[in-house]
Amino acid sequence: MLLGLFLAVIAGSLVSLQNIFNAKVNERAGSWATTTLVLGLGFAASLAISLMTEGLNTFRLQKMESWYWFSGLIGVGVVICLVKGTRLLGPTYAISIVMTSQLGFALLWDSLGWLGLEKVPFTFNQLLGVLVILGGIFVFKLGGSRETRDSSPLASN
């Protein structure tokens, strides 16, 4: 369990770091070029590492549903939406919304047992957890920074 927690924390930090890098690439290359670069380099790195560690077993895909292959297409949607969302909202706000959306949809898929997942009973505490996170996003966004509030026209009245 500790290894799982550690890996999840690392994944979260890498997603945030990648989002910042993608936003910087997007400033120079545009959204579709960024998506192509990110996924192309990711493919090349994954293939190379997989071949080094697993050899030809990389290509043994046994008993896999054909619709799982659409995962790569979903990845295109993830990257393009994150790049554009970050440009429009900024990294912290965009990632907080992405994480909340991930949690909400994971709760939905788990609770309904969709997409081959084992059905997990839905509880009010789970919903409350998602709502608390949503509340945190609203506080974060609506609270603004002290500098913004102090320099607004209403602050001098």
Side-chain angles (χ1 to χ4, degrees), residues 7 37 50 78 81 87 98 111 131 141:
L7 292 173
L37 180 66
S50 179
V78 169
C81 290
R87 186 177 64 225
V98 167
S111 297
L131 294 176
K141 185 61 180 172

Side-chain angles (χ1 to χ4, degrees), residues 1-12:
M1 179 155 161
L2 285 176
L3 179 60
L5 291 171
F6 176 73
L7 292 173
V9 168
I10 296 298

